């Protein structure tokens, strides 16, 4: 089964209403490959979700950057999966390394969140990735497999999951993984899915790369056989995000 190229833009905790409107205008005016060839999902902060939903072109979609692990209630400051569904937000990013590291979200907790969000009808961009120390000690695959397994343990249907491999050492650092490094981990992750979930899920699950992706470095990464797109942080706030979306055409030609 062909895997449609996927480009996510994680705006993180950035922007004013005016800045957000400017970014959306740039996206709306851009000429990009058709939605048959690339799925584009932008992820504004919670407070701008409705604004972006109102203004954004219909061929692009929206993700929240997080949601609560269970049904809402007395959880001050949290936003539930049900609320996102109620607002018409189809996607959520879960397990981002910034939340794993700064807010101590464990593999188990992320697995629970993914399972609950899927049950509520959200589609999930689930992030995994190793730290520099883990990479240097040769533990990359062990770490990303454990993070993936914690999701596998809780979900039975992978059709609404996009797996984002985001090495922590590459996020926001300008130190992008080489295309060979990304391909190596993506191919190992696909093999993990093959051996643990099944050949169909392995063949159809999009595994996207995140970590200092830019307009300049996306082209070579996009041609790697197991790189099915990108999750983009810093560059998703800039016009070069359009170049990254356009790299979908290189994939078709690869
Ligand atoms: C991210 O936060 O998901 C990310 C990949 O950030 P950046 O592109 O800025 O490294």
């Amino acid at each position: 089964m062909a895997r449609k190229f996927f480009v996510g833009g994680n705006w993180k905790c950035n922007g004013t209403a005016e800045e957000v409107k400017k970014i959306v205008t740039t996206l709306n005016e851009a000429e990009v490959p058709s939605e048959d060839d690339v799925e584009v999902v932008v992820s504004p902060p919670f407070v701008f979700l409705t604004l972006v939903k109102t203004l954004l072109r219909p061929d692009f979609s929206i993700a929240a950057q997080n949601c609560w692990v269970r049904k809402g209630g007395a959880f001050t400051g949290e936003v539930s999966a049900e609320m996102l569904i109620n607002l018409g937000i189809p996607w959520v990013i879960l397990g981002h390394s910034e939340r794993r590291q700064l807010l101590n979200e464990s593999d188990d907790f992320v697995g629970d969140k993914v399972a609950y969000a899927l049950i509520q009808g959200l589609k999930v961009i689930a992030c995994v990735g190793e730290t520099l120390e883990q990479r240097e000690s040769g533990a990359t695959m062990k770490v990303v497999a454990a993070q993936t397994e914690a999701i596998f343990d809780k979900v039975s249907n992978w059709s609404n999951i996009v797996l984002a491999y985001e090495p922590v050492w590459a996020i926001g650092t300008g130190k992008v993984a080489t295309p060979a490094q990304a391909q190596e981990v993506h191919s190992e992750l696909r093999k993990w899915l093959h051996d643990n979930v099944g050949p169909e899920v392995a063949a159809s699950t999009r595994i996207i790369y995140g970590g200092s992706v830019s307009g300049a470095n996306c082209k070579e990464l996009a041609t790697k056989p197991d790189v099915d797109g990108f999750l983009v942080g810093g560059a998703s706030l800039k016009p070069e995000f359009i170049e990254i979306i356009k790299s979908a055409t290189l994939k078709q030609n690869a």
Side-chain angles (χ1 to χ4, degrees), residues 10 12 96 98 127 166 170-174 209-213 231-235:
N10 176 12
K12 310 195 190 194
H96 193 281
E98 284 153 14
C127 306
E166 298 207 300
I171 294 184
T173 58
Y209 168 79
S212 296
V213 175
L231 184 56
V232 185

Side-chain angles (χ1 to χ4, degrees), residues 75-200:
F75 305 106
T76 303
E78 289 293 338
V79 170
S80 69
E82 290 90 337
M83 289 171 185
L84 297 176
I85 291 288
N86 181 248
L87 279 188
I89 305 301
W91 286 92
V92 63
I93 299 173
L94 294 173
H96 193 281
S97 65
E98 284 153 14
R99 296 196 64 86
R100 289 179 187 268
Q101 295 212 305
L102 302 172
L103 296 153
N104 292 323
E105 292 197 1
S106 67
D107 292 357
D108 249 16
F109 188 66
V110 171
D112 283 336
K113 279 186 166 192
V114 173
Y116 191 78
L118 289 173
I119 288 168
Q120 296 313 310
L122 289 167
K123 295 183 269 192
V124 175
I125 302 166
C127 306
V128 298
E130 82 288 2
T131 62
L132 185 58
E133 200 184 4
Q134 289 164 336
R135 171 162 283 265
E136 286 175 346
S137 70
T140 298
M141 243 351 267
K142 188 167 158 258
V143 170
V144 298
Q147 291 168 336
T148 309
E149 187 164 16
I151 296 167
F152 163 78
D153 285 345
K154 311 253 163 77
V155 310
S156 50
N157 185 344
W158 282 72
S159 53
N160 284 330
I161 300 178
V162 167
L163 202 53
Y165 168 57
E166 298 207 300
V168 178
W169 48 270
I171 294 184
T173 58
K175 262 194 228 160
V176 66
T178 65
Q181 283 173 323
Q183 170 58 27
E184 184 185 23
V185 179
H186 285 224
S187 122
E188 288 288 329
L189 275 171
R190 203 174 301 288
K191 184 173 179 304
W192 190 94
L193 288 174
H194 181 279
D195 297 347
N196 294 279
V197 193
E200 275 147 37

